[in-house]
Amino acid sequence: MAAALSTDSPPTVGLDVAAARADFPIFDARHDRRLVFLDTAASSQKPRAVLDAMTEYYETTHANVHRGVYDLAERATAMYEGARGTIGRFIGATSDREVLFTKNVTEAFNLIAHSWGRSNLRAGDAVLLTEMEHHANLVPWLMLAEERGIELRYLGVTDEGELDLSDLDAKLDGAKLLSFTAMSNVLGTLNPVRQLADAAHAAGAVVAVDGAQYVPHTTTDVAALGADLFAFTGHKMLGPTGIGVLWGREELLEAMPPFLGGGDMIRDVRLDGFTPNELPWKFEAGTPPIAEAVGLAAAVGELERYGMDAIRAHEQRVTGYAISSLQERFGDDFTVHGPRSIERRGGVLSFAFKAIHPHDISQVLNESGVCVRAGHHCAKPLMRRLGVGATARASFYVYNDTDDVDALADALDDAASMFAL
Amino acid sequence: MPGLEDLYREIILDHYRNPRNRGELDIPPAHRTEGFNPLCGDEIVVYVSVDDDDRVAEIKIGGQGCSISQSSASMMSAAVKGKTLDEARALTRAFKALMSIHETKLGGDGSGTDAPTPDPEVKLGDLEALQGVVKFPVRIKCATLSWNTLTQALDEVATAS
Ligand SMILES: Cc1ncc(COP(=O)(O)O)c(C=O)c1O
């Protein structure tokens, strides 16, 4: 494995939110009011360490990677490949060959559908998805279904906002792939990844997991989760935009044809054909997101400094406080979509409030500097299942604390008085 | 920064709380058209029946959405009911001119990018209350949703007859 990770930071016990907040320039006092940022599920804020790492890379090291003979190019390559090692280790990968950089998790699923899907699925073959998927893990399959006539099946969602596993085995019967999210970006539901993976493997299906909402918030070990393919996105985990990761089991990736074609992904090009490069570069056509990889490795460093277990515990505390305090304050006027138990959910809280439309809630909250997302969260089939057009969604991270929840509650009072029907 | 009172004017909230012409019409004879705001999942259903004199004899609004899309639909239904098709179209152009400054820039589904020229004779009346929406660019699509849906409905009626 490449670049060594600094292991000399002290183990974290509990998360010091005030200290964490100070790591993020966006929370500086230069804003006209306190920023209550509750939209990490869409994209997280960036700590100074990430910004500095990227700036320093550009100021001291930048050159295109691979094939450069001069020092600068060699250093840039070492940093890029070192980042791959750091990020791979963070999710329990055992080889750099299994860690592919993509543009984001959406591109990773397009890669899976295009490369694995087209070489493994024929008309009539079934792919099992779930009703709670983000469009990133739906549309590439719908596109393939249109092109190839494959059959798409869906695990349903229970009234509690969990996956309905009652007909799991029946739906897996004959399926070639199970592709699902480890955590819902709408309901916060943590799905039983290992159980699903085991069931899929028993049925002979390959397992792809959307870790976009999972990796940023808890310890990830791809082997322990039982995934064959596992994707996530940098910008939701303190990293920059423009970079995502697809991890895959080596034999599987080895057997998959390239996705995008161009420079870097080839070993040889002739006028009558080409030979693809070896892993992981086979899947990295063109100049990769070098500074972004450096930034994402720095983000991983920050996450490890906070400690993933401490982050998970902290988010459980804040989420638990949010559910109980908002329900205490607003009673039945405040409804949570998704599981109530903080053991079974992450820090993403979709809610309905007094029949006020989520857009209007979000607009009024904005007046108090409270940022929540309103809309379908790129999960329209799930919205239909919930019987709503949209939800308001608050999500928590290392820089949020119970005071942010209180600010949210106060702002909800403002919305109530404005829209009282 | 524009204040909330620019957006949520009293008359808008009134139409939101007490929507006019809410409901359905039998199809046929009425015509039914659905409109979606892909950004926020709002959906509007417009039912219109056009009489032999080319007037909007009846209009009903269904669907769900935020206060802006709902109140705009309510105001629209009140404004075009009883109007001739030409008058309804002129009103639509005038309303979209009020909104188009930013909608054009935002792009999106292309349904609002035809920068209509308003007829100075057309009086928007209560609808002018929605002017403040322009200061909140992401909400413009909410305000124009029902109008785009109406335009589509009237076009469909015209081609059908
Ligand atoms: C569960 C899930 N999957 C996929 C995505 C798509 O991420 P990106 O836009 O970075 O590809 C998101 C976030 O938007 C998400 O929450």
Side-chain angles (χ1 to χ4, degrees):
Chain A
M1 297 286 295
L5 180 81
S6 75
T7 44
D8 49 3
S9 48
T12 326
V13 254
L15 192 83
D16 181 346
V17 182
R21 223 173 254 177
D23 294 336
F24 292 77
I26 199 135
F27 296 115
D28 279 0
R30 61 197 148 94
H31 294 279
D32 53 350
R33 56 192 173 187
R34 192 164 87 83
L35 178 64
V36 180
F37 186 77
L38 300 177
D39 197 19
T40 292
S43 198
S44 76
Q45 295 300 344
K46 315 304 169 201
R48 186 171 306 282
V50 168
L51 308 176
D52 285 352
M54 293 176 74
T55 303
E56 189 185 321
Y57 163 76
Y58 275 126
E59 286 181 354
T60 65
T61 317
H62 178 69
N64 211 334
V65 291
H66 306 141
R67 298 173 313 280
V69 173
Y70 51 92
D71 284 356
L72 206 56
E74 209 166 279
R75 279 216 309 276
T77 305
M79 283 184 83
Y80 177 67
E81 294 302 334
R84 193 191 305 278
T86 302
I87 295 158
R89 267 195 306 284
F90 181 62
I91 57 161
T94 48
S95 159
D96 287 5
R97 293 165 59 81
E98 300 185 327
V99 180
L100 322 179
F101 286 126
T102 62
K103 183 170 66 165
N104 47 37
V105 66
T106 302
E107 190 183 71
F109 276 97
N110 278 275
L111 189 163
I112 297 172
H114 197 94
S115 171
W116 184 88
R118 280 157 159 227
S119 50
N120 286 281
L121 300 174
R122 259 161 287 284
D125 282 348
V127 167
L128 180 57
L129 307 168
T130 87
E131 226 177 342
M132 64 165 76
E133 294 313 306
H134 187 282
H135 295 166
N137 188 26
L138 286 175
V139 183
W141 302 112
L142 290 165
M143 289 165 73
L144 198 64
E146 253 176 35
E147 182 191 306
R148 285 282 162 103
I150 59 168
E151 179 198 346
L152 300 183
R153 302 176 186 166
Y154 298 94
L155 287 174
V157 172
T158 66
D159 291 342
E160 286 70 47
E162 306 202 342
L163 286 180
D164 178 0
L165 303 182
S166 59
D167 52 1
L168 174 64
D169 289 333
K171 284 184 172 158
L172 275 172
D173 188 24
K176 290 256 170 87
L177 174 77
L178 167 64
S179 187
F180 66 99
T181 188
M183 176 175 140
S184 164
N185 66 315
V186 175
L187 304 169
T189 317
L190 285 164
N191 289 323
V193 178
R194 181 68 204 217
Q195 184 191 344
L196 286 161
D198 286 348
H201 286 147
V206 166
V207 174
V209 176
D210 178 349
Q213 298 290 347
Y214 186 87
V215 174
H217 305 286
T218 190
T219 304
T220 302
D221 179 342
V222 284
L225 289 171
D228 299 305
L229 296 159
F230 187 98
F232 55 102
T233 203
H235 66 96
K236 293 185 203 284
M237 50 186 288
L238 310 184
T241 57
I243 186 161
V245 177
L246 173 60
W247 171 89
R249 274 197 302 109
E250 191 166 335
E251 321 86 79
L252 200 67
L253 296 176
E254 207 62 89
M256 283 160 56
F259 172 43
L260 301 175
D264 245 24
M265 52 70 70
I266 46 84
R267 184 172 294 150
D268 185 27
V269 180
R270 300 165 307 277
L271 291 179
D272 63 351
F274 72 96
T275 315
N277 203 341
E278 59 184 299
L279 289 174
W281 307 292
K282 177 170 103 178
F283 290 102
E284 295 182 359
T287 300
I290 310 165
E292 287 74 10
V294 170
L296 185 53
V300 163
E302 288 298 273
L303 289 172
E304 291 184 324
R305 190 168 63 80
Y306 296 130
M308 293 314 292
D309 292 343
I311 292 175
R312 170 74 180 136
H314 169 70
E315 289 176 9
Q316 282 185 305
R317 186 175 65 81
V318 177
T319 308
Y321 176 79
I323 294 175
S324 59
S325 71
L326 292 165
Q327 244 152 23
E328 194 169 302
R329 180 149 163 187
F330 299 114
D332 291 343
D333 287 339
F334 182 88
T335 358
V336 174
H337 297 294
R340 271 148 207 78
S341 152
I342 53 165
E343 301 302 325
R344 307 170 81 134
R345 63 146 51 248
V348 168
L349 198 64
S350 271
F351 59 91
F353 181 62
K354 274 185 173 278
I356 304 174
H357 192 279
H359 257 183
D360 293 317
I361 291 176
S362 176
Q363 191 91 59
V364 176
L365 264 47
N366 177 55
E367 290 299 295
S368 313
V370 178
C371 312
V372 302
R373 190 142 294 247
H376 53 61
H377 317 293
C378 295
K380 290 204 81 169
L382 179 57
M383 293 294 119
R384 290 202 182 90
R385 168 63 183 89
L386 297 174
V388 299
T391 74
R393 181 186 74 184
S395 49
F396 310 112
Y397 212 6
V398 293
Y399 35 67
N400 299 119
D401 210 340
T402 52
D403 56 347
D404 291 327
V405 175
D406 294 338
L408 167 67
D410 290 345
L412 283 173
D413 258 336
D414 296 343
S417 43
M418 180 138 222
F419 287 100
L421 291 172
Chain B
M1 201 179 62
L4 269 194
E5 60 286 356
D6 289 329
L7 185 64
Y8 297 126
R9 307 273 292 274
E10 198 42 55
I11 187 155
I12 293 178
L13 292 175
D14 175 59
H15 275 267
Y16 177 52
R17 294 182 186 122
N18 313 294
R20 325 293 199 263
N21 302 305
R22 183 105 196 141
E24 302 180 4
L25 296 173
D26 286 337
I27 41 166
H31 184 83
R32 177 184 191 275
T33 301
E34 283 179 22
F36 293 94
N37 181 342
L39 237 54
C40 60
D42 285 2
E43 48 184 87
I44 287 276
V45 187
V46 173
Y47 298 85
V48 276
S49 63
V50 176
D51 64 19
D52 295 340
D53 300 332
D54 267 0
R55 276 179 195 280
V56 179
E58 262 300 344
I59 179 162
K60 292 280 184 199
I61 304 293
Q64 47 157 354
C66 67
S67 60
I68 300 302
S69 73
Q70 294 294 294
S71 62
S72 181
S74 169
M75 288 185 189
M76 174 201 77
S77 69
V80 302
K81 193 168 161 180
K83 293 278 195 309
T84 65
L85 292 188
D86 284 347
E87 287 167 339
R89 289 206 172 94
L91 202 59
T92 304
R93 275 195 300 279
F95 182 74
K96 294 199 58 186
L98 189 74
M99 294 292 133
S100 66
I101 311 149
H102 291 268
E103 196 187 23
T104 319
K105 227 168 38 190
L106 283 175
D109 60 5
S111 56
T113 52
D114 45 324
T117 18
D119 178 344
E121 299 296 298
V122 177
K123 295 281 174 291
L124 282 168
D126 284 358
L127 286 165
E128 302 220 353
L130 283 162
Q131 190 161 23
V133 173
V134 173
K135 296 180 193 158
F136 298 81
V138 287
R139 306 300 295 274
I140 293 174
K141 291 248 174 231
C142 309
T144 54
L145 175 62
S146 57
W147 295 85
N148 290 334
T149 311
L150 175 73
T151 303
Q152 193 189 332
L154 297 183
D155 288 351
E156 286 165 3
V157 169
T159 40
S161 58

